[in-house]
PDB file of all heavy atoms in Angstrom:
ATOM      1  N   VAL A  81       1.615  -1.102   2.595  1.00 98.00           N
ATOM      2  CA  VAL A  81       1.807   0.326   2.835  1.00 98.00           C
ATOM      3  C   VAL A  81       1.358   0.636   4.261  1.00 98.00           C
ATOM      4  O   VAL A  81       0.221   0.359   4.626  1.00 98.00           O
ATOM      5  CB  VAL A  81       0.989   1.170   1.827  1.00 98.00           C
ATOM      6  CG1 VAL A  81       1.197   2.651   2.066  1.00 98.00           C
ATOM      7  CG2 VAL A  81       1.313   0.782   0.389  1.00 98.00           C
ATOM      8  N   LYS A  82       2.261   1.241   5.052  1.00 98.00           N
ATOM      9  CA  LYS A  82       1.942   1.597   6.434  1.00 98.00           C
ATOM     10  C   LYS A  82       1.710   3.095   6.502  1.00 98.00           C
ATOM     11  O   LYS A  82       2.608   3.889   6.256  1.00 98.00           O
ATOM     12  CB  LYS A  82       3.064   1.164   7.359  1.00 98.00           C
ATOM     13  CG  LYS A  82       3.215  -0.353   7.361  1.00 98.00           C
ATOM     14  CD  LYS A  82       4.578  -0.765   7.742  1.00 98.00           C
ATOM     15  CE  LYS A  82       4.755  -2.242   7.456  1.00 98.00           C
ATOM     16  NZ  LYS A  82       6.140  -2.626   7.553  1.00 98.00           N
ATOM     17  N   THR A  83       0.476   3.463   6.839  1.00 98.00           N
ATOM     18  CA  THR A  83       0.072   4.866   6.853  1.00 98.00           C
ATOM     19  C   THR A  83      -0.926   5.091   7.980  1.00 98.00           C
ATOM     20  O   THR A  83      -0.998   4.285   8.912  1.00 98.00           O
ATOM     21  CB  THR A  83      -0.500   5.273   5.469  1.00 98.00           C
ATOM     22  OG1 THR A  83      -0.668   6.687   5.420  1.00 98.00           O
ATOM     23  CG2 THR A  83      -1.806   4.569   5.157  1.00 98.00           C
ATOM     24  N   THR A  84      -1.699   6.164   7.892  1.00 97.00           N
ATOM     25  CA  THR A  84      -2.765   6.420   8.866  1.00 97.00           C
ATOM     26  C   THR A  84      -4.081   6.665   8.140  1.00 97.00           C
ATOM     27  O   THR A  84      -4.100   6.938   6.933  1.00 97.00           O
ATOM     28  CB  THR A  84      -2.447   7.637   9.760  1.00 97.00           C
ATOM     29  OG1 THR A  84      -2.427   8.809   8.956  1.00 97.00           O
ATOM     30  CG2 THR A  84      -1.123   7.467  10.489  1.00 97.00           C
ATOM     31  N   SER A  85      -5.154   6.593   8.895  1.00 97.00           N
ATOM     32  CA  SER A  85      -6.490   6.756   8.320  1.00 97.00           C
ATOM     33  C   SER A  85      -6.647   8.100   7.609  1.00 97.00           C
ATOM     34  O   SER A  85      -7.382   8.206   6.629  1.00 97.00           O
ATOM     35  CB  SER A  85      -7.556   6.604   9.405  1.00 97.00           C
ATOM     36  OG  SER A  85      -7.327   7.510  10.470  1.00 97.00           O
ATOM     37  N   VAL A  86      -5.943   9.129   8.071  1.00 96.00           N
ATOM     38  CA  VAL A  86      -6.018  10.457   7.461  1.00 96.00           C
ATOM     39  C   VAL A  86      -5.527  10.429   6.006  1.00 96.00           C
ATOM     40  O   VAL A  86      -6.013  11.187   5.172  1.00 96.00           O
ATOM     41  CB  VAL A  86      -5.199  11.466   8.293  1.00 96.00           C
ATOM     42  CG1 VAL A  86      -5.075  12.805   7.596  1.00 96.00           C
ATOM     43  CG2 VAL A  86      -5.815  11.636   9.670  1.00 96.00           C
ATOM     44  N   TYR A  87      -4.580   9.548   5.714  1.00 97.00           N
ATOM     45  CA  TYR A  87      -3.944   9.528   4.392  1.00 97.00           C
ATOM     46  C   TYR A  87      -4.430   8.411   3.473  1.00 97.00           C
ATOM     47  O   TYR A  87      -3.986   8.328   2.328  1.00 97.00           O
ATOM     48  CB  TYR A  87      -2.421   9.458   4.552  1.00 97.00           C
ATOM     49  CG  TYR A  87      -1.882  10.747   5.098  1.00 97.00           C
ATOM     50  CD1 TYR A  87      -1.680  10.911   6.462  1.00 97.00           C
ATOM     51  CD2 TYR A  87      -1.630  11.822   4.265  1.00 97.00           C
ATOM     52  CE1 TYR A  87      -1.227  12.106   6.972  1.00 97.00           C
ATOM     53  CE2 TYR A  87      -1.174  13.022   4.767  1.00 97.00           C
ATOM     54  CZ  TYR A  87      -0.971  13.162   6.119  1.00 97.00           C
ATOM     55  OH  TYR A  87      -0.531  14.356   6.623  1.00 97.00           O
ATOM     56  N   VAL A  88      -5.327   7.552   3.938  1.00 98.00           N
ATOM     57  CA  VAL A  88      -5.764   6.416   3.115  1.00 98.00           C
ATOM     58  C   VAL A  88      -6.325   6.874   1.770  1.00 98.00           C
ATOM     59  O   VAL A  88      -5.987   6.317   0.724  1.00 98.00           O
ATOM     60  CB  VAL A  88      -6.789   5.534   3.876  1.00 98.00           C
ATOM     61  CG1 VAL A  88      -7.455   4.533   2.941  1.00 98.00           C
ATOM     62  CG2 VAL A  88      -6.107   4.826   5.027  1.00 98.00           C
ATOM     63  N   GLU A  89      -7.157   7.886   1.763  1.00 97.00           N
ATOM     64  CA  GLU A  89      -7.761   8.357   0.513  1.00 97.00           C
ATOM     65  C   GLU A  89      -6.686   8.892  -0.447  1.00 97.00           C
ATOM     66  O   GLU A  89      -6.694   8.578  -1.639  1.00 97.00           O
ATOM     67  CB  GLU A  89      -8.803   9.435   0.800  1.00 97.00           C
ATOM     68  CG  GLU A  89      -9.586   9.847  -0.437  1.00 97.00           C
ATOM     69  CD  GLU A  89     -10.700  10.826  -0.101  1.00 97.00           C
ATOM     70  OE1 GLU A  89     -11.271  10.752   1.006  1.00 97.00           O
ATOM     71  OE2 GLU A  89     -10.988  11.663  -0.967  1.00 97.00           O
ATOM     72  N   GLU A  90      -5.749   9.679   0.069  1.00 97.00           N
ATOM     73  CA  GLU A  90      -4.697  10.247  -0.770  1.00 97.00           C
ATOM     74  C   GLU A  90      -3.739   9.153  -1.268  1.00 97.00           C
ATOM     75  O   GLU A  90      -3.291   9.177  -2.419  1.00 97.00           O
ATOM     76  CB  GLU A  90      -3.932  11.316   0.004  1.00 97.00           C
ATOM     77  CG  GLU A  90      -3.094  12.208  -0.872  1.00 97.00           C
ATOM     78  CD  GLU A  90      -2.511  13.401  -0.122  1.00 97.00           C
ATOM     79  OE1 GLU A  90      -2.937  13.688   1.018  1.00 97.00           O
ATOM     80  OE2 GLU A  90      -1.619  14.032  -0.694  1.00 97.00           O
ATOM     81  N   VAL A  91      -3.415   8.198  -0.420  1.00 98.00           N
ATOM     82  CA  VAL A  91      -2.579   7.065  -0.826  1.00 98.00           C
ATOM     83  C   VAL A  91      -3.282   6.278  -1.923  1.00 98.00           C
ATOM     84  O   VAL A  91      -2.682   5.945  -2.950  1.00 98.00           O
ATOM     85  CB  VAL A  91      -2.258   6.150   0.382  1.00 98.00           C
ATOM     86  CG1 VAL A  91      -1.644   4.841  -0.086  1.00 98.00           C
ATOM     87  CG2 VAL A  91      -1.341   6.847   1.365  1.00 98.00           C
ATOM     88  N   THR A  92      -4.555   5.988  -1.728  1.00 98.00           N
ATOM     89  CA  THR A  92      -5.316   5.240  -2.719  1.00 98.00           C
ATOM     90  C   THR A  92      -5.343   5.977  -4.052  1.00 98.00           C
ATOM     91  O   THR A  92      -5.133   5.371  -5.111  1.00 98.00           O
ATOM     92  CB  THR A  92      -6.749   4.970  -2.213  1.00 98.00           C
ATOM     93  OG1 THR A  92      -6.668   4.234  -0.990  1.00 98.00           O
ATOM     94  CG2 THR A  92      -7.563   4.190  -3.224  1.00 98.00           C
ATOM     95  N   SER A  93      -5.571   7.278  -4.027  1.00 98.00           N
ATOM     96  CA  SER A  93      -5.577   8.072  -5.268  1.00 98.00           C
ATOM     97  C   SER A  93      -4.231   7.998  -5.982  1.00 98.00           C
ATOM     98  O   SER A  93      -4.176   7.845  -7.207  1.00 98.00           O
ATOM     99  CB  SER A  93      -5.918   9.534  -4.979  1.00 98.00           C
ATOM    100  OG  SER A  93      -7.245   9.642  -4.550  1.00 98.00           O
ATOM    101  N   ALA A  94      -3.136   8.112  -5.232  1.00 98.00           N
ATOM    102  CA  ALA A  94      -1.805   8.038  -5.832  1.00 98.00           C
ATOM    103  C   ALA A  94      -1.554   6.659  -6.437  1.00 98.00           C
ATOM    104  O   ALA A  94      -0.988   6.546  -7.532  1.00 98.00           O
ATOM    105  CB  ALA A  94      -0.737   8.368  -4.793  1.00 98.00           C
ATOM    106  N   ILE A  95      -1.986   5.614  -5.745  1.00 98.00           N
ATOM    107  CA  ILE A  95      -1.820   4.261  -6.275  1.00 98.00           C
ATOM    108  C   ILE A  95      -2.608   4.113  -7.572  1.00 98.00           C
ATOM    109  O   ILE A  95      -2.083   3.629  -8.585  1.00 98.00           O
ATOM    110  CB  ILE A  95      -2.255   3.206  -5.238  1.00 98.00           C
ATOM    111  CG1 ILE A  95      -1.282   3.192  -4.060  1.00 98.00           C
ATOM    112  CG2 ILE A  95      -2.352   1.821  -5.874  1.00 98.00           C
ATOM    113  CD1 ILE A  95      -1.754   2.409  -2.850  1.00 98.00           C
ATOM    114  N   LEU A  96      -3.876   4.537  -7.570  1.00 98.00           N
ATOM    115  CA  LEU A  96      -4.705   4.415  -8.770  1.00 98.00           C
ATOM    116  C   LEU A  96      -4.119   5.196  -9.940  1.00 98.00           C
ATOM    117  O   LEU A  96      -4.183   4.750 -11.089  1.00 98.00           O
ATOM    118  CB  LEU A  96      -6.132   4.879  -8.479  1.00 98.00           C
ATOM    119  CG  LEU A  96      -6.915   4.047  -7.450  1.00 98.00           C
ATOM    120  CD1 LEU A  96      -8.278   4.672  -7.200  1.00 98.00           C
ATOM    121  CD2 LEU A  96      -7.045   2.609  -7.885  1.00 98.00           C
ATOM    122  N   GLU A  97      -3.529   6.340  -9.663  1.00 97.00           N
ATOM    123  CA  GLU A  97      -2.948   7.180 -10.705  1.00 97.00           C
ATOM    124  C   GLU A  97      -1.741   6.514 -11.371  1.00 97.00           C
ATOM    125  O   GLU A  97      -1.516   6.683 -12.567  1.00 97.00           O
ATOM    126  CB  GLU A  97      -2.522   8.516 -10.096  1.00 97.00           C
ATOM    127  CG  GLU A  97      -1.890   9.469 -11.075  1.00 97.00           C
ATOM    128  CD  GLU A  97      -1.452  10.771 -10.420  1.00 97.00           C
ATOM    129  OE1 GLU A  97      -1.892  11.071  -9.294  1.00 97.00           O
ATOM    130  OE2 GLU A  97      -0.658  11.481 -11.050  1.00 97.00           O
ATOM    131  N   HIS A  98      -0.977   5.726 -10.603  1.00 98.00           N
ATOM    132  CA  HIS A  98       0.281   5.174 -11.107  1.00 98.00           C
ATOM    133  C   HIS A  98       0.251   3.664 -11.350  1.00 98.00           C
ATOM    134  O   HIS A  98       1.271   3.091 -11.715  1.00 98.00           O
ATOM    135  CB  HIS A  98       1.410   5.525 -10.141  1.00 98.00           C
ATOM    136  CG  HIS A  98       1.629   6.995 -10.027  1.00 98.00           C
ATOM    137  ND1 HIS A  98       2.293   7.725 -10.981  1.00 98.00           N
ATOM    138  CD2 HIS A  98       1.225   7.885  -9.086  1.00 98.00           C
ATOM    139  CE1 HIS A  98       2.312   8.997 -10.639  1.00 98.00           C
ATOM    140  NE2 HIS A  98       1.660   9.122  -9.488  1.00 98.00           N
ATOM    141  N   HIS A  99      -0.903   3.045 -11.176  1.00 98.00           N
ATOM    142  CA  HIS A  99      -1.026   1.586 -11.283  1.00 98.00           C
ATOM    143  C   HIS A  99      -1.369   1.169 -12.705  1.00 98.00           C
ATOM    144  O   HIS A  99      -2.098   1.863 -13.408  1.00 98.00           O
ATOM    145  CB  HIS A  99      -2.106   1.102 -10.310  1.00 98.00           C
ATOM    146  CG  HIS A  99      -1.904  -0.299  -9.859  1.00 98.00           C
ATOM    147  ND1 HIS A  99      -2.072  -1.375 -10.683  1.00 98.00           N
ATOM    148  CD2 HIS A  99      -1.538  -0.801  -8.646  1.00 98.00           C
ATOM    149  CE1 HIS A  99      -1.837  -2.483 -10.018  1.00 98.00           C
ATOM    150  NE2 HIS A  99      -1.501  -2.157  -8.768  1.00 98.00           N
ATOM    151  N   SER A 100      -0.876   0.010 -13.118  1.00 97.00           N
ATOM    152  CA  SER A 100      -1.114  -0.476 -14.486  1.00 97.00           C
ATOM    153  C   SER A 100      -2.443  -1.220 -14.638  1.00 97.00           C
ATOM    154  O   SER A 100      -2.921  -1.384 -15.758  1.00 97.00           O
ATOM    155  CB  SER A 100       0.037  -1.395 -14.915  1.00 97.00           C
ATOM    156  OG  SER A 100       0.078  -2.553 -14.095  1.00 97.00           O
ATOM    157  N   TYR A 101      -3.051  -1.667 -13.556  1.00 95.00           N
ATOM    158  CA  TYR A 101      -4.293  -2.443 -13.643  1.00 95.00           C
ATOM    159  C   TYR A 101      -5.503  -1.537 -13.839  1.00 95.00           C
ATOM    160  O   TYR A 101      -5.528  -0.404 -13.350  1.00 95.00           O
ATOM    161  CB  TYR A 101      -4.524  -3.252 -12.368  1.00 95.00           C
ATOM    162  CG  TYR A 101      -3.576  -4.398 -12.117  1.00 95.00           C
ATOM    163  CD1 TYR A 101      -3.614  -5.071 -10.908  1.00 95.00           C
ATOM    164  CD2 TYR A 101      -2.644  -4.827 -13.059  1.00 95.00           C
ATOM    165  CE1 TYR A 101      -2.763  -6.130 -10.644  1.00 95.00           C
ATOM    166  CE2 TYR A 101      -1.794  -5.879 -12.804  1.00 95.00           C
ATOM    167  CZ  TYR A 101      -1.857  -6.529 -11.596  1.00 95.00           C
ATOM    168  OH  TYR A 101      -1.019  -7.577 -11.324  1.00 95.00           O
ATOM    169  N   ASP A 102      -6.532  -2.079 -14.502  1.00 93.00           N
ATOM    170  CA  ASP A 102      -7.806  -1.366 -14.631  1.00 93.00           C
ATOM    171  C   ASP A 102      -8.497  -1.227 -13.277  1.00 93.00           C
ATOM    172  O   ASP A 102      -9.110  -0.200 -12.993  1.00 93.00           O
ATOM    173  CB  ASP A 102      -8.747  -2.104 -15.596  1.00 93.00           C
ATOM    174  CG  ASP A 102      -8.258  -2.093 -17.036  1.00 93.00           C
ATOM    175  OD1 ASP A 102      -7.481  -1.183 -17.404  1.00 93.00           O
ATOM    176  OD2 ASP A 102      -8.639  -3.003 -17.786  1.00 93.00           O
TER     177      ASP A 102
END
Side-chain angles (χ1 to χ4, degrees):
V81 180
K82 296 155 192 168
T83 190
T84 66
S85 56
V86 172
Y87 290 94
V88 168
E89 187 175 328
E90 196 171 347
V91 168
T92 301
S93 292
I95 292 168
L96 296 176
E97 179 181 344
H98 297 283
H99 207 290
S100 64
Y101 291 172
D102 293 336

